[in-house]
Amino acid sequence: MKTLKTKRLILRNFSESDAFDLFDYAKLETVGPNAGWAPHQTVDESLEIIKKFIESNDVWAVELRSNHKVIGSVGLHERMTIQGEKVKELGYVLSTSYEGKGLMTEACRRVLQYAFEEEKVQKIKVAHFLGNEKSKRVIEKCGFEYEKEGTHQSIAYGPKLSKVYQMTIENYKKIGGNK
Ligand SMILES: CC(C)(COP(=O)(O)OP(=O)(O)OC[C@H]1O[C@@H](n2cnc3c(N)ncnc32)[C@H](O)[C@@H]1OP(=O)(O)O)[C@@H](O)C(=O)NCCC(=O)NCCS
């Protein structure tokens, strides 16, 4: 995947040597369950997930410039539409110790810029589980528009009620891009 840079972050491909950094946050109860997956039990489990990320080629590792640690990830997954539109779904997690500093909003805005301006994606969707106020704020700050309440099939916990949002390329331009 193309490496993307922001003031404080580098979004780059995962490599197998990131397994310890990933495990550091993927083992936390505060991270995976809010995104629909169970906390990792071992570093090996994190390594297996990294192998999947490398294969699917649609998840960036979020590296903090100041200490070169991988502190989270952002995924941009291709979704089919009946109308044949180029639609992608955004997903993200951040290590709990780094929350509340605007880092994930910074990362997502850069990904939106890349998706709309370089990949020419037409629409990006994003969803959070009911009650995930932090994620809701990231979505709002990025400028997404609320679409509907729906049921999201989570990997570990089955169907869960979620709020779904979207941003079209027209809306992206209207809000002035990655300001
Ligand atoms: C959601 C997550 C990515 C947010 O990352 P972050 O870097 O802390 O996000 P930001 O700092 O850009 O924004 C967080 C916002 O939530 C707000 N917030 C924090 N706790 C809150 C709460 N309990 N209720 C309401 N808002 C809250 C912060 O004040 C901030 O908003 P502000 O800038 O208006 O003050 C991170 O918490 C995370 O990975 N959580 C676990 C996994 C997850 O939920 N992933 C998303 C799945 S949809």
Side-chain angles (χ1 to χ4, degrees):
M1 300 175 81
K2 182 172 176 183
T3 297
L4 307 176
K5 294 183 178 173
T6 70
K7 201 170 148 225
R8 293 175 290 176
L9 304 168
I10 298 173
L11 277 61
R12 57 152 175 87
N13 284 323
F14 266 99
S15 86
E16 293 189 11
S17 57
D18 297 320
F20 282 96
D21 283 356
L22 172 58
F23 183 61
D24 250 7
Y25 65 83
K27 67 185 178 191
L28 305 174
E29 286 288 340
T30 44
V31 179
N34 283 309
W37 46 270
H40 294 187
Q41 299 300 315
T42 62
V43 179
D44 274 352
E45 194 181 337
S46 297
L47 178 61
E48 288 312 308
I49 293 295
I50 286 179
K51 288 179 184 167
K52 286 186 183 160
F53 288 161
I54 293 171
E55 200 187 317
S56 65
N57 199 35
D58 60 0
V59 180
W60 283 275
V62 176
E63 181 185 313
L64 191 63
R65 282 178 187 248
S66 61
N67 64 7
H68 297 292
K69 261 178 89 81
V70 172
I71 59 165
S73 67
V74 179
L76 190 64
H77 312 286
E78 210 155 321
R79 296 285 179 251
M80 291 294 155
T81 68
I82 314 160
Q83 298 84 5
E85 274 181 316
K86 193 168 178 181
V87 177
K88 297 225 170 175
E89 186 177 337
L90 185 70
Y92 44 79
V93 298
L94 186 77
S95 176
T96 308
S97 1
Y98 296 90
E99 281 180 349
K101 304 174 197 299
L103 288 169
M104 193 46 76
T105 304
E106 185 173 316
C108 289
R109 281 189 176 144
R110 182 66 187 90
V111 167
L112 293 177
Q113 181 181 31
Y114 166 74
F116 286 125
E117 295 182 20
E118 292 189 50
E119 278 205 338
K120 309 293 180 201
V121 171
Q122 289 165 286
K123 191 188 279 178
I124 297 182
K125 298 216 167 206
V126 65
H128 66 76
F129 295 148
L130 244 56
N132 188 345
E133 297 301 320
K134 296 178 193 177
S135 183
K136 182 181 175 194
R137 272 304 289 146
V138 172
I139 291 167
E140 285 171 353
K141 287 193 286 179
C142 286
F144 281 88
E145 289 185 335
Y146 177 70
E147 187 192 356
K148 60 179 180 191
E149 197 167 299
T151 309
H152 184 84
Q153 195 63 33
S154 85
I155 303 168
Y157 310 105
K160 286 190 70 165
L161 276 182
S162 305
K163 300 247 182 200
V164 183
Y165 304 75
Q166 63 177 22
M167 189 185 295
T168 60
I169 189 154
E170 291 78 19
N171 286 347
Y172 172 76
K173 285 177 188 160
K174 214 182 283 171
I175 62 169
N178 181 17
K179 300 165 269 154

